[in-house]
Structure formats: structure tokens, C-alpha cells
Amino acid sequence: MASTVGCAKLRARDQLVKGVQEFKAGHYEQAVNHFQESIKLDPNYPTARLDLAAAYSYQVVPNLDTPDNLKIAQKALDGFNSVLKEDPNDLIALRQVASIHRNIKQYDAAKADELKIISLDGKDAEANYTIGVIDWTQAYKNATTILGAAGITDDGLGNVKKSKDVCAKLAEVNTPLVTEAQTYLQKAVDINPNYDDAMQYLNLNYRRKADLECGNDDARKADLAQADAWVVKATGARKANEAAKEKAHSGGVSMN
């Protein structure tokens, strides 16, 4: 009996290796087959379950709501959730679940996932950044919808031509989102001072904030000045990051 179990585990690991090879080659459907076979041979193999879920997740097309895409997303979520059932604090699985929820536009679930990640790792800049991006995305959609209904095309400069009623609608729906986005994006930069993507979204978020300065043109201009300042900071950080990558790649072959 022990010999049979040991043999099954060896075969399960062989299937896992083959699955990883297919995964790295971008052959995700073939990888799924190998990971499924690995789990069949060793049902308690956590690495195979995690890799199977990852293979499904790589087949999820962002922002696509078709039944087939949502079906694949659910398979990936089921896999990662089975891992989280065993270990609710598995950060790899949590980050994957958050990414899938975001990709299928389940933003409330994605934010809840990211908040759980932050509770486990307070220095996770990406989780803070992601919450900020989700908030900004929702605020942008609200803004373009409300402005569009009033016959206004968003100019990214506070849209001074909008009426008081339109501004009031924008302030009602977007103030909480813009405020929260500001908090989390700033936290991402505090954690990673060269986080150029977070800086770029701070620029965009200040432009959404400019929409909310109803009748206060000085405040609108101050928001736009902040937005422009973050563009400059983002450009500088991006250059510094690219220089650091180039330096790392030109370091030669280590003999250690």
C-alpha cells in the first residue's frame, strides 16, 4: 500500500513538472490538463491546486463579460479559494483572487481582497495602488456618464462649463471615491517613493477632484497644479526606474 501511494505521488509530481513546462511556454490549456492529472493522482497536493488555478487565471481576458470568460474566471476563483480554505492568509492566492475580481469588473470584491492583503502586509504598495485605481476607474465612469448626459465631453481640466446641478451630481457620487483614491495612492507612493504608476494616477485623480470644486475656480486651479506636479514626479520616477533596470542588466555575469 505504501509503495502504491508513493508511486502515485511521484507520478503526480511528474505531471506537475510537465504542467509547469507547458505553463511557461504559454500553453495554458495543456498545462491545465497536466495539473488536473496531478491532482487526480494526489488530491492533497496544494502546489498542483495553486498552479491549476493560475493556469485558469492566465486565460481570463480582462474586462470581458462573455459567459465563457466568466466561466474560466470562476474556475480560477474556485481553485484559489480551495487554497484559501486551507490557509486564509495565503498571500499568493489572495493576490490572484483580487486580480481576477478586478479583471471581471467585480470591483467591490476586488477592493475587499486588497484590504485583506493590506491587513496581512501593510507594506504592500501594489494593493494600495490597486484600490486607488479601482476608485479612480469608477469615478471616471461616473464623470463621463454624468457629463455626457449633459452634452459635455470631459476635458480633464475640471469642466468649467458644467452647470451647478451637474457639479452637485458629480460631487455626490465621486467625492467618496476621489477621497479614498487619494488616500491609497498616496500610501502606495509613501511605501514605494519611485512608484511612477501610482504618481500618474494621482495626477488623474486630482483632475477628477477638480470636477468637484463647484464654483471655486481657485480650488480647481490648485487641483490642476497638483495634477501637473505629479506628472513631473511620475516622469522623473520612471526615468530613475529605467536607469536602475539598465544598470542591473549591465552588471555582467556573476561568478558567485
Side-chain angles (χ1 to χ4, degrees), residues 187-207:
K187 180 64 174 177
V189 174
D190 290 342
I191 295 169
N192 178 4
N194 282 329
Y195 205 154
D196 54 292
D197 285 339
M199 294 175 187
Q200 186 59 49
Y201 269 94
L202 278 163
N203 150 50
L204 295 174
N205 198 57
Y206 268 109
R207 295 181 188 281

Side-chain angles (χ1 to χ4, degrees), residues 27 72 83 88 120 149 155:
H27 304 152
I72 294 173
V83 174
L120 296 171
D155 61 11

Side-chain angles (χ1 to χ4, degrees), residues 125-195:
E126 186 173 355
N128 283 277
Y129 163 77
T130 301
I131 292 174
V133 171
I134 291 172
D135 285 337
W136 178 87
T137 299
Q138 293 177 302
Y140 177 77
K141 182 179 180 180
N142 291 339
T144 54
T145 299
I146 292 171
L147 291 168
I152 301 171
T153 300
D154 177 40
D155 61 11
L157 300 173
N159 298 291
V160 294
K161 294 181 180 180
K162 64 184 180 297
S163 68
K164 291 182 179 180
D165 287 343
V166 169
C167 194
K169 289 179 182 178
L170 286 171
E172 180 181 1
V173 297
N174 274 356
T175 296
L177 292 169
V178 169
T179 301
E180 185 175 77
Q182 176 73 24
T183 298
Y184 283 98
L185 290 169
Q186 184 62 60
K187 180 64 174 177
V189 174
D190 290 342
I191 295 169
N192 178 4
N194 282 329
Y195 205 154

Side-chain angles (χ1 to χ4, degrees), residues 18-32:
K18 291 178 179 177
V20 170
Q21 290 172 342
E22 295 288 2
F23 184 91
K24 289 182 176 178
H27 304 152
Y28 302 123
E29 291 183 5
Q30 294 91 324
V32 163

